[in-house]
Amino acid sequence: DVKVTQSSRYLVKRTGEKVFLECVQDMDHENMFWYRQDPGLGLRLIYFSYDVKMKEKGDIPEGYSVSREKKERFSLILESASTNQTSMYLCASRGAVTGELFFGEGSRLTVL
Amino acid sequence: AQSVSQHNHHVILSEAASLELGCNYSYGGTVNLFWYVQYPGQHLQLLLKYFSGDPLVKGIKGFEAEFIKSKFSFNLRKPSVQWSDTAEYFCAVNVSGGYNKLIFGAGTRLAVHP
C-alpha cells in the first residue's frame, strides 16, 4: 500500500512564525501535491511538484512556498504565518500522470 | 477557469434510502473523473474513477457513478445507504494538458441516521 506520511497532525503557531509542513511518500511517485481543505471550499491546490526540484503554483500559492530536494519528500513552507492560513493541509502523491492521488492524514494548523 | 460543482453541501438520509450526489464540471476537453470519500477522522481515499470506456463505473462499498458527457456530469449513486456511509464526499476532475492537476469540488457531507 502507498503510504503518505505528514510529519505533524496538529500544530499551533503564532502570527509571523515560519512554519514547515513535511510530507514523505514511499512509492517512488513523481508527482506530489499540497492542498488546503476548508469547510465549504473543498480542497484547493497550493503547489505541486512533478519532479525533484521542480514545482508549479496551484490555485492559491500566495503566502506559501515549497521544497522538493528528494523525490520522496515535499515540504510546504509558510514564511510568515497569518491567521487566514489556519486550515487543514493535505499532502498527496501520484505515480501516473492521470492516476489517483494518495493522501496523507492531514496537518491541522492553527495560527493565533 | 475549470471548476467542479457539487450541488448538495449537506445530505441527511435514513438507512436503506437511496443516494445520489450531483457533480458537474466546466471543461470541454478530455477529463478523468474521481470520487473521493473522507470518513470521520480518516484520510481521503478513492471511491471510484472514470478514465474511458463504460460510462457507468462501479467502486467500492456498493457505490457507482455515471459519466454523462453531454451534461458534464459525474453523479455518485448508491441504492441503499448504511450508517457507515456517513462521510464527506468529494468529486474531482483531472484536467488534461499542463501537468494534469486535480480539481476538487467543495464536498458533500452525508449523514446517515439508523
Side-chain angles (χ1 to χ4, degrees):
Chain A
D1 280 351
V2 175
K3 191 165 180 63
V4 179
T5 304
Q6 295 184 228
S7 56
S8 304
R9 292 293 304 277
Y10 301 95
L11 302 96
V12 179
K13 298 291 182 180
R14 296 201 175 277
T15 301
E17 281 192 87
K18 191 169 187 175
V19 182
F20 290 90
L21 299 179
E22 300 278 319
C23 175
V24 177
Q25 51 97 358
D26 66 358
M27 285 301 291
D28 202 36
H29 284 169
E30 286 81 16
N31 298 263
M32 295 188 75
F33 303 78
W34 275 105
Y35 289 87
R36 62 178 282 176
Q37 182 181 9
D38 299 289
L41 296 177
L43 278 71
R44 293 179 292 166
L45 182 62
I46 305 171
Y47 267 97
F48 62 104
S49 169
Y50 49 93
D51 204 348
V52 175
K53 296 190 186 294
M54 307 299 281
K55 60 187 179 184
E56 287 287 330
K57 292 180 180 179
D59 299 317
I60 51 164
E62 296 78 19
Y64 303 95
S65 61
V66 290
S67 172
R68 183 109 181 259
E69 295 297 318
K70 294 184 178 181
K71 193 173 186 180
E72 67 271 18
R73 188 179 298 270
F74 191 36
S75 302
L76 180 69
I77 303 153
L78 289 68
E79 292 289 342
S80 178
S82 62
T83 55
N84 62 13
Q85 292 178 310
T86 291
S87 186
M88 171 70 84
Y89 291 88
L90 300 178
C91 175
S93 74
R94 180 175 71 187
V97 172
T98 58
E100 69 177 278
L101 295 182
F102 294 88
F103 285 88
E105 294 191 341
S107 298
R108 184 168 292 283
L109 171 66
T110 301
V111 183
L112 302 175
Chain B
Q2 302 93 357
S3 65
V4 178
S5 298
Q6 291 184 239
H7 314 300
N8 314 99
H9 292 163
H10 292 92
V11 174
I12 301 172
L13 294 173
S14 298
E15 276 193 317
S18 64
L19 171 71
E20 181 160 2
L21 302 182
C23 173
N24 286 90
Y25 62 92
S26 62
Y27 183 69
T30 302
V31 294
N32 305 122
L33 300 158
F34 304 80
W35 275 97
Y36 282 83
V37 60
Q38 188 173 34
Y39 298 103
Q42 296 187 26
H43 63 276
L44 276 153
Q45 56 188 285
L46 182 70
L47 203 53
L48 49 78
K49 61 186 176 185
Y50 171 80
F51 282 8
S52 64
D54 187 345
L56 184 64
V57 292
K58 295 191 184 299
I60 60 172
K61 303 186 180 185
F63 286 90
E64 64 180 31
E66 184 175 14
F67 171 50
I68 303 179
K69 190 174 181 180
S70 61
K71 294 185 178 180
F72 300 91
S73 71
F74 189 55
N75 292 354
L76 181 71
R77 299 194 292 248
K78 186 171 183 178
S80 176
V81 294
Q82 300 173 314
W83 176 79
S84 58
D85 293 324
T86 294
E88 190 160 17
Y89 294 80
F90 294 91
C91 180
V93 175
N94 191 75
V95 176
S96 65
Y99 294 103
N100 289 284
K101 63 182 184 180
L102 207 58
I103 301 170
F104 284 82
T108 298
R109 285 189 181 273
L110 171 66
V112 180
H113 295 303

